Amino acid sequence: EDQVTQSPEALRLQEGESSSLNCSYTVSGLRGLFWYRQDPGKGPEFLFTLYSAGEEKEKERLKATLTKKESFLHITAPKPEDSATYLCAVYHFSGNTPLVFGKGTRLSVIA
Amino acid sequence: EAGVAQSPRYKIIEKRQSVAFWCNPISGHATLYWYQQILGQGPKLLIQFQNNGVVDDSQLPKDRFSAERLKGVDSTLKIQPAKLEDSAVYLCASSPQPWDIQYFGAGTRLSVL
């Protein structure tokens, strides 16, 4: 069964303390991997799309990378405003399948 | 550019009552999605429309949930009768075409008592 697993479930960082979030997936043929940010009481906000192994994308303090089995979201020198839940989701090529989300990583950045 | 609009933002009902949610997608987006997000979980797709036709409703509990997208624009999701386990946030999203980036509304938080 296709699955998206995110780790850790929760992460607490001091301001400026860099770290990485992990998203591992088991799908038969990846069509695309998406990272979203979700703040409390809001809908997910799109961050990045990755399509092939080796691809990297950056936005401010965030950098997303992709291998054949997992993706990492690197957060460099985080600030309190980076606190949110980060969701990973995948599309695969088998038929008309939906976007499958992981459970997310809840990030707290303490000043 | 206006985002995805949803209403209401919050709804509290008793079990066995009915409830409806409304969604207005981003202008020009052909694909519309309804998701259910239970606390601590990622969103789970309930139904996907392409224009005003249903593409995927395999995870929609059809004995109690229904959805329509009239004229390929606005959409409504209905639950009748509601159960306690339907308490969740219902998110609407839209994209230009399938497999494109999905843009989400703020969601409707439903509490079934």
Side-chain angles (χ1 to χ4, degrees):
Chain A
E1 179 181 325
D2 296 333
Q3 192 170 358
V4 179
T5 304
Q6 293 189 246
S7 62
E9 288 187 12
L11 181 62
R12 185 182 173 99
L13 299 173
Q14 293 293 321
E15 185 173 3
E17 180 187 2
S18 301
S19 188
S20 295
L21 313 182
N22 177 264
C23 171
S24 63
Y25 58 91
T26 54
V27 297
S28 49
L30 181 70
R31 189 181 188 117
L33 184 143
F34 297 76
W35 282 99
Y36 283 86
R37 169 188 171 132
Q38 187 171 26
D39 292 295
K42 296 187 177 181
E45 176 187 351
F46 171 75
L47 292 173
F48 304 107
T49 310
L50 302 166
Y51 295 104
S52 57
E55 191 174 359
E56 298 182 352
K57 289 191 178 174
E58 288 188 64
K59 179 181 178 180
E60 297 180 353
R61 296 177 292 282
L62 300 177
K63 179 180 178 180
T65 62
L66 182 64
T67 72
K68 287 187 177 180
K69 292 189 176 182
E70 58 191 348
S71 176
F72 292 93
L73 185 65
H74 307 277
I75 303 177
T76 302
K79 298 182 178 182
E81 53 262 42
D82 294 322
S83 298
T85 296
Y86 291 85
L87 295 165
C88 170
V90 300
Y91 272 128
H92 60 90
F93 278 103
S94 299
N96 185 37
T97 53
L99 191 61
V100 178
F101 281 85
K103 293 183 179 181
T105 293
R106 193 170 62 255
L107 174 67
S108 300
V109 181
I110 311 302
Chain B
E1 179 181 88
V4 176
Q6 290 189 247
S7 67
R9 287 299 316 276
Y10 307 94
K11 192 73 177 179
I12 301 173
I13 61 172
E14 295 188 352
K15 60 183 179 183
R16 291 187 289 274
Q17 286 188 324
S18 62
V19 64
F21 313 125
W22 173 82
C23 172
N24 181 241
I26 293 172
S27 178
H29 281 195
T31 314
L32 184 146
Y33 315 79
W34 282 103
Y35 288 88
Q36 180 192 59
Q37 187 174 25
I38 293 171
L39 189 64
Q41 305 285 318
K44 184 185 82 170
L45 181 72
L46 293 175
I47 189 166
Q48 176 181 339
F49 291 93
Q50 180 67 16
N51 296 309
N52 59 351
V54 175
V55 173
D56 183 357
D57 62 357
S58 58
Q59 298 188 94
L60 186 74
K62 298 180 186 64
D63 58 334
R64 297 184 300 106
F65 286 64
S66 64
E68 61 180 4
R69 188 181 185 195
L70 299 175
K71 299 180 181 179
V73 182
D74 292 7
S75 178
T76 55
L77 176 70
K78 297 179 181 178
I79 307 174
Q80 182 179 9
K83 293 185 175 181
L84 297 176
E85 59 260 37
D86 297 332
S87 294
V89 175
Y90 291 85
L91 294 163
C92 179
S94 70
S95 64
Q97 293 295 334
W99 302 295
D100 279 338
I101 297 166
Q102 294 185 25
Y103 297 89
F104 286 80
T108 298
R109 181 175 297 278
L110 174 67
S111 297
V112 182
L113 306 178

PDB file of all heavy atoms in Angstrom, chain B residues 65-91:
ATOM      1  N   PHE B  65     -22.539  11.294   2.871  1.00  0.00           N
ATOM      2  CA  PHE B  65     -21.902  12.471   2.283  1.00  0.00           C
ATOM      3  C   PHE B  65     -22.331  12.604   0.821  1.00  0.00           C
ATOM      4  O   PHE B  65     -22.433  11.596   0.106  1.00  0.00           O
ATOM      5  CB  PHE B  65     -20.373  12.352   2.319  1.00  0.00           C
ATOM      6  CG  PHE B  65     -19.744  12.550   3.674  1.00  0.00           C
ATOM      7  CD1 PHE B  65     -19.993  11.682   4.716  1.00  0.00           C
ATOM      8  CD2 PHE B  65     -18.876  13.607   3.891  1.00  0.00           C
ATOM      9  CE1 PHE B  65     -19.402  11.856   5.963  1.00  0.00           C
ATOM     10  CE2 PHE B  65     -18.266  13.792   5.125  1.00  0.00           C
ATOM     11  CZ  PHE B  65     -18.537  12.909   6.153  1.00  0.00           C
ATOM     12  N   SER B  66     -22.521  13.847   0.400  1.00  0.00           N
ATOM     13  CA  SER B  66     -22.776  14.121  -1.012  1.00  0.00           C
ATOM     14  C   SER B  66     -22.118  15.443  -1.374  1.00  0.00           C
ATOM     15  O   SER B  66     -21.885  16.300  -0.503  1.00  0.00           O
ATOM     16  CB  SER B  66     -24.273  14.168  -1.312  1.00  0.00           C
ATOM     17  OG  SER B  66     -24.879  15.248  -0.621  1.00  0.00           O
ATOM     18  N   ALA B  67     -21.790  15.589  -2.642  1.00  0.00           N
ATOM     19  CA  ALA B  67     -21.163  16.827  -3.095  1.00  0.00           C
ATOM     20  C   ALA B  67     -21.577  17.097  -4.519  1.00  0.00           C
ATOM     21  O   ALA B  67     -21.865  16.167  -5.286  1.00  0.00           O
ATOM     22  CB  ALA B  67     -19.637  16.736  -2.994  1.00  0.00           C
ATOM     23  N   GLU B  68     -21.628  18.377  -4.848  1.00  0.00           N
ATOM     24  CA  GLU B  68     -21.922  18.752  -6.216  1.00  0.00           C
ATOM     25  C   GLU B  68     -21.141  20.007  -6.583  1.00  0.00           C
ATOM     26  O   GLU B  68     -20.750  20.788  -5.717  1.00  0.00           O
ATOM     27  CB  GLU B  68     -23.419  18.969  -6.417  1.00  0.00           C
ATOM     28  CG  GLU B  68     -24.027  20.067  -5.564  1.00  0.00           C
ATOM     29  CD  GLU B  68     -25.520  20.213  -5.815  1.00  0.00           C
ATOM     30  OE1 GLU B  68     -26.102  19.417  -6.584  1.00  0.00           O
ATOM     31  OE2 GLU B  68     -26.116  21.133  -5.233  1.00  0.00           O
ATOM     32  N   ARG B  69     -20.927  20.151  -7.867  1.00  0.00           N
ATOM     33  CA  ARG B  69     -20.239  21.340  -8.369  1.00  0.00           C
ATOM     34  C   ARG B  69     -21.033  21.828  -9.577  1.00  0.00           C
ATOM     35  O   ARG B  69     -20.880  21.321 -10.688  1.00  0.00           O
ATOM     36  CB  ARG B  69     -18.797  21.022  -8.774  1.00  0.00           C
ATOM     37  CG  ARG B  69     -18.010  22.276  -9.108  1.00  0.00           C
ATOM     38  CD  ARG B  69     -16.602  21.961  -9.532  1.00  0.00           C
ATOM     39  NE  ARG B  69     -15.839  23.201  -9.727  1.00  0.00           N
ATOM     40  CZ  ARG B  69     -14.683  23.257 -10.365  1.00  0.00           C
ATOM     41  NH1 ARG B  69     -14.141  22.163 -10.882  1.00  0.00           N
ATOM     42  NH2 ARG B  69     -14.060  24.414 -10.496  1.00  0.00           N
ATOM     43  N   LEU B  70     -21.889  22.777  -9.321  1.00  0.00           N
ATOM     44  CA  LEU B  70     -22.766  23.272 -10.361  1.00  0.00           C
ATOM     45  C   LEU B  70     -22.022  24.234 -11.283  1.00  0.00           C
ATOM     46  O   LEU B  70     -21.253  25.082 -10.822  1.00  0.00           O
ATOM     47  CB  LEU B  70     -23.974  23.973  -9.734  1.00  0.00           C
ATOM     48  CG  LEU B  70     -24.847  23.063  -8.852  1.00  0.00           C
ATOM     49  CD1 LEU B  70     -25.944  23.862  -8.192  1.00  0.00           C
ATOM     50  CD2 LEU B  70     -25.426  21.918  -9.669  1.00  0.00           C
ATOM     51  N   LYS B  71     -22.240  24.088 -12.564  1.00  0.00           N
ATOM     52  CA  LYS B  71     -21.664  24.972 -13.584  1.00  0.00           C
ATOM     53  C   LYS B  71     -20.141  24.997 -13.528  1.00  0.00           C
ATOM     54  O   LYS B  71     -19.508  25.920 -14.029  1.00  0.00           O
ATOM     55  CB  LYS B  71     -22.219  26.394 -13.440  1.00  0.00           C
ATOM     56  CG  LYS B  71     -23.728  26.472 -13.612  1.00  0.00           C
ATOM     57  CD  LYS B  71     -24.235  27.902 -13.473  1.00  0.00           C
ATOM     58  CE  LYS B  71     -25.740  27.944 -13.621  1.00  0.00           C
ATOM     59  NZ  LYS B  71     -26.282  29.322 -13.469  1.00  0.00           N
ATOM     60  N   GLY B  72     -19.541  23.981 -12.895  1.00  0.00           N
ATOM     61  CA  GLY B  72     -18.090  23.883 -12.876  1.00  0.00           C
ATOM     62  C   GLY B  72     -17.380  24.957 -12.096  1.00  0.00           C
ATOM     63  O   GLY B  72     -16.179  25.171 -12.299  1.00  0.00           O
ATOM     64  N   VAL B  73     -18.093  25.628 -11.175  1.00  0.00           N
ATOM     65  CA  VAL B  73     -17.446  26.679 -10.383  1.00  0.00           C
ATOM     66  C   VAL B  73     -17.588  26.343  -8.896  1.00  0.00           C
ATOM     67  O   VAL B  73     -16.812  25.558  -8.368  1.00  0.00           O
ATOM     68  CB  VAL B  73     -18.028  28.063 -10.701  1.00  0.00           C
ATOM     69  CG1 VAL B  73     -17.312  29.151  -9.910  1.00  0.00           C
ATOM     70  CG2 VAL B  73     -17.916  28.349 -12.195  1.00  0.00           C
ATOM     71  N   ASP B  74     -18.610  26.919  -8.222  1.00  0.00           N
ATOM     72  CA  ASP B  74     -18.815  26.684  -6.797  1.00  0.00           C
ATOM     73  C   ASP B  74     -19.148  25.231  -6.520  1.00  0.00           C
ATOM     74  O   ASP B  74     -19.657  24.502  -7.388  1.00  0.00           O
ATOM     75  CB  ASP B  74     -19.969  27.553  -6.278  1.00  0.00           C
ATOM     76  CG  ASP B  74     -19.637  29.021  -6.293  1.00  0.00           C
ATOM     77  OD1 ASP B  74     -18.568  29.384  -6.831  1.00  0.00           O
ATOM     78  OD2 ASP B  74     -20.442  29.810  -5.781  1.00  0.00           O
ATOM     79  N   SER B  75     -18.900  24.839  -5.281  1.00  0.00           N
ATOM     80  CA  SER B  75     -19.217  23.472  -4.881  1.00  0.00           C
ATOM     81  C   SER B  75     -19.792  23.469  -3.470  1.00  0.00           C
ATOM     82  O   SER B  75     -19.477  24.340  -2.654  1.00  0.00           O
ATOM     83  CB  SER B  75     -17.960  22.608  -4.918  1.00  0.00           C
ATOM     84  OG  SER B  75     -18.225  21.285  -4.489  1.00  0.00           O
ATOM     85  N   THR B  76     -20.635  22.476  -3.197  1.00  0.00           N
ATOM     86  CA  THR B  76     -21.131  22.260  -1.840  1.00  0.00           C
ATOM     87  C   THR B  76     -20.891  20.814  -1.445  1.00  0.00           C
ATOM     88  O   THR B  76     -20.980  19.893  -2.275  1.00  0.00           O
ATOM     89  CB  THR B  76     -22.635  22.565  -1.716  1.00  0.00           C
ATOM     90  OG1 THR B  76     -23.341  21.778  -2.684  1.00  0.00           O
ATOM     91  CG2 THR B  76     -22.918  24.024  -1.966  1.00  0.00           C
ATOM     92  N   LEU B  77     -20.584  20.624  -0.182  1.00  0.00           N
ATOM     93  CA  LEU B  77     -20.410  19.312   0.420  1.00  0.00           C
ATOM     94  C   LEU B  77     -21.446  19.198   1.538  1.00  0.00           C
ATOM     95  O   LEU B  77     -21.555  20.097   2.364  1.00  0.00           O
ATOM     96  CB  LEU B  77     -19.000  19.154   0.995  1.00  0.00           C
ATOM     97  CG  LEU B  77     -18.697  17.854   1.741  1.00  0.00           C
ATOM     98  CD1 LEU B  77     -18.651  16.675   0.771  1.00  0.00           C
ATOM     99  CD2 LEU B  77     -17.373  17.959   2.491  1.00  0.00           C
ATOM    100  N   LYS B  78     -22.204  18.104   1.530  1.00  0.00           N
ATOM    101  CA  LYS B  78     -23.255  17.921   2.523  1.00  0.00           C
ATOM    102  C   LYS B  78     -23.051  16.635   3.296  1.00  0.00           C
ATOM    103  O   LYS B  78     -22.607  15.623   2.735  1.00  0.00           O
ATOM    104  CB  LYS B  78     -24.633  17.904   1.850  1.00  0.00           C
ATOM    105  CG  LYS B  78     -25.001  19.191   1.151  1.00  0.00           C
ATOM    106  CD  LYS B  78     -26.366  19.089   0.494  1.00  0.00           C
ATOM    107  CE  LYS B  78     -26.710  20.398  -0.240  1.00  0.00           C
ATOM    108  NZ  LYS B  78     -28.014  20.323  -0.942  1.00  0.00           N
ATOM    109  N   ILE B  79     -23.400  16.688   4.576  1.00  0.00           N
ATOM    110  CA  ILE B  79     -23.372  15.503   5.416  1.00  0.00           C
ATOM    111  C   ILE B  79     -24.762  15.349   6.017  1.00  0.00           C
ATOM    112  O   ILE B  79     -25.310  16.272   6.615  1.00  0.00           O
ATOM    113  CB  ILE B  79     -22.343  15.618   6.560  1.00  0.00           C
ATOM    114  CG1 ILE B  79     -20.966  15.990   6.025  1.00  0.00           C
ATOM    115  CG2 ILE B  79     -22.261  14.296   7.331  1.00  0.00           C
ATOM    116  CD1 ILE B  79     -19.931  16.255   7.111  1.00  0.00           C
ATOM    117  N   GLN B  80     -25.365  14.155   5.818  1.00  0.00           N
ATOM    118  CA  GLN B  80     -26.699  13.914   6.336  1.00  0.00           C
ATOM    119  C   GLN B  80     -26.955  12.422   6.481  1.00  0.00           C
ATOM    120  O   GLN B  80     -26.976  11.711   5.452  1.00  0.00           O
ATOM    121  CB  GLN B  80     -27.745  14.521   5.394  1.00  0.00           C
ATOM    122  CG  GLN B  80     -29.181  14.374   5.871  1.00  0.00           C
ATOM    123  CD  GLN B  80     -30.183  15.016   4.927  1.00  0.00           C
ATOM    124  OE1 GLN B  80     -29.848  15.431   3.823  1.00  0.00           O
ATOM    125  NE2 GLN B  80     -31.430  15.080   5.352  1.00  0.00           N
ATOM    126  N   PRO B  81     -27.102  11.867   7.675  1.00  0.00           N
ATOM    127  CA  PRO B  81     -26.980  12.537   8.968  1.00  0.00           C
ATOM    128  C   PRO B  81     -25.547  12.505   9.475  1.00  0.00           C
ATOM    129  O   PRO B  81     -24.779  11.604   9.150  1.00  0.00           O
ATOM    130  CB  PRO B  81     -27.866  11.657   9.852  1.00  0.00           C
ATOM    131  CG  PRO B  81     -27.684  10.285   9.273  1.00  0.00           C
ATOM    132  CD  PRO B  81     -27.508  10.480   7.792  1.00  0.00           C
ATOM    133  N   ALA B  82     -25.181  13.477  10.286  1.00  0.00           N
ATOM    134  CA  ALA B  82     -23.816  13.542  10.797  1.00  0.00           C
ATOM    135  C   ALA B  82     -23.608  12.561  11.949  1.00  0.00           C
ATOM    136  O   ALA B  82     -24.530  12.271  12.720  1.00  0.00           O
ATOM    137  CB  ALA B  82     -23.498  14.964  11.271  1.00  0.00           C
ATOM    138  N   LYS B  83     -22.383  12.053  12.042  1.00  0.00           N
ATOM    139  CA  LYS B  83     -21.972  11.192  13.141  1.00  0.00           C
ATOM    140  C   LYS B  83     -20.861  11.885  13.935  1.00  0.00           C
ATOM    141  O   LYS B  83     -20.204  12.807  13.427  1.00  0.00           O
ATOM    142  CB  LYS B  83     -21.458   9.849  12.621  1.00  0.00           C
ATOM    143  CG  LYS B  83     -22.518   8.984  11.970  1.00  0.00           C
ATOM    144  CD  LYS B  83     -21.929   7.625  11.605  1.00  0.00           C
ATOM    145  CE  LYS B  83     -22.996   6.691  11.062  1.00  0.00           C
ATOM    146  NZ  LYS B  83     -22.446   5.348  10.720  1.00  0.00           N
ATOM    147  N   LEU B  84     -20.633  11.389  15.144  1.00  0.00           N
ATOM    148  CA  LEU B  84     -19.596  11.989  15.991  1.00  0.00           C
ATOM    149  C   LEU B  84     -18.236  11.984  15.295  1.00  0.00           C
ATOM    150  O   LEU B  84     -17.473  12.953  15.397  1.00  0.00           O
ATOM    151  CB  LEU B  84     -19.501  11.246  17.318  1.00  0.00           C
ATOM    152  CG  LEU B  84     -20.730  11.283  18.213  1.00  0.00           C
ATOM    153  CD1 LEU B  84     -20.518  10.416  19.456  1.00  0.00           C
ATOM    154  CD2 LEU B  84     -21.077  12.712  18.621  1.00  0.00           C
ATOM    155  N   GLU B  85     -17.960  10.895  14.557  1.00  0.00           N
ATOM    156  CA  GLU B  85     -16.647  10.762  13.912  1.00  0.00           C
ATOM    157  C   GLU B  85     -16.455  11.689  12.715  1.00  0.00           C
ATOM    158  O   GLU B  85     -15.385  11.718  12.119  1.00  0.00           O
ATOM    159  CB  GLU B  85     -16.392   9.309  13.497  1.00  0.00           C
ATOM    160  CG  GLU B  85     -17.431   8.752  12.543  1.00  0.00           C
ATOM    161  CD  GLU B  85     -18.456   7.879  13.257  1.00  0.00           C
ATOM    162  OE1 GLU B  85     -18.833   8.220  14.407  1.00  0.00           O
ATOM    163  OE2 GLU B  85     -18.887   6.877  12.654  1.00  0.00           O
ATOM    164  N   ASP B  86     -17.498  12.433  12.357  1.00  0.00           N
ATOM    165  CA  ASP B  86     -17.358  13.405  11.272  1.00  0.00           C
ATOM    166  C   ASP B  86     -16.742  14.712  11.755  1.00  0.00           C
ATOM    167  O   ASP B  86     -16.461  15.605  10.938  1.00  0.00           O
ATOM    168  CB  ASP B  86     -18.720  13.698  10.641  1.00  0.00           C
ATOM    169  CG  ASP B  86     -19.348  12.467  10.001  1.00  0.00           C
ATOM    170  OD1 ASP B  86     -18.589  11.574   9.570  1.00  0.00           O
ATOM    171  OD2 ASP B  86     -20.589  12.396   9.955  1.00  0.00           O
ATOM    172  N   SER B  87     -16.523  14.848  13.052  1.00  0.00           N
ATOM    173  CA  SER B  87     -15.869  16.048  13.582  1.00  0.00           C
ATOM    174  C   SER B  87     -14.472  16.151  12.991  1.00  0.00           C
ATOM    175  O   SER B  87     -13.640  15.250  13.150  1.00  0.00           O
ATOM    176  CB  SER B  87     -15.796  15.976  15.108  1.00  0.00           C
ATOM    177  OG  SER B  87     -17.082  16.022  15.687  1.00  0.00           O
ATOM    178  N   ALA B  88     -14.224  17.240  12.291  1.00  0.00           N
ATOM    179  CA  ALA B  88     -12.974  17.404  11.556  1.00  0.00           C
ATOM    180  C   ALA B  88     -12.982  18.789  10.915  1.00  0.00           C
ATOM    181  O   ALA B  88     -13.961  19.532  11.015  1.00  0.00           O
ATOM    182  CB  ALA B  88     -12.837  16.338  10.472  1.00  0.00           C
ATOM    183  N   VAL B  89     -11.884  19.113  10.241  1.00  0.00           N
ATOM    184  CA  VAL B  89     -11.837  20.300   9.385  1.00  0.00           C
ATOM    185  C   VAL B  89     -12.040  19.843   7.951  1.00  0.00           C
ATOM    186  O   VAL B  89     -11.399  18.886   7.498  1.00  0.00           O
ATOM    187  CB  VAL B  89     -10.493  21.035   9.521  1.00  0.00           C
ATOM    188  CG1 VAL B  89     -10.418  22.196   8.526  1.00  0.00           C
ATOM    189  CG2 VAL B  89     -10.309  21.559  10.950  1.00  0.00           C
ATOM    190  N   TYR B  90     -12.944  20.506   7.252  1.00  0.00           N
ATOM    191  CA  TYR B  90     -13.212  20.182   5.854  1.00  0.00           C
ATOM    192  C   TYR B  90     -12.582  21.266   4.994  1.00  0.00           C
ATOM    193  O   TYR B  90     -12.946  22.439   5.074  1.00  0.00           O
ATOM    194  CB  TYR B  90     -14.719  20.035   5.620  1.00  0.00           C
ATOM    195  CG  TYR B  90     -15.215  18.791   6.314  1.00  0.00           C
ATOM    196  CD1 TYR B  90     -15.569  18.812   7.666  1.00  0.00           C
ATOM    197  CD2 TYR B  90     -15.252  17.570   5.654  1.00  0.00           C
ATOM    198  CE1 TYR B  90     -15.962  17.655   8.332  1.00  0.00           C
ATOM    199  CE2 TYR B  90     -15.651  16.408   6.301  1.00  0.00           C
ATOM    200  CZ  TYR B  90     -15.994  16.461   7.645  1.00  0.00           C
ATOM    201  OH  TYR B  90     -16.360  15.316   8.297  1.00  0.00           O
ATOM    202  N   LEU B  91     -11.632  20.830   4.190  1.00  0.00           N
ATOM    203  CA  LEU B  91     -10.849  21.741   3.366  1.00  0.00           C
ATOM    204  C   LEU B  91     -11.269  21.621   1.912  1.00  0.00           C
ATOM    205  O   LEU B  91     -11.464  20.525   1.405  1.00  0.00           O
ATOM    206  CB  LEU B  91      -9.359  21.395   3.465  1.00  0.00           C
ATOM    207  CG  LEU B  91      -8.691  21.597   4.821  1.00  0.00           C
ATOM    208  CD1 LEU B  91      -7.379  20.840   4.877  1.00  0.00           C
ATOM    209  CD2 LEU B  91      -8.459  23.067   5.090  1.00  0.00           C
TER     210      LEU B  91
END
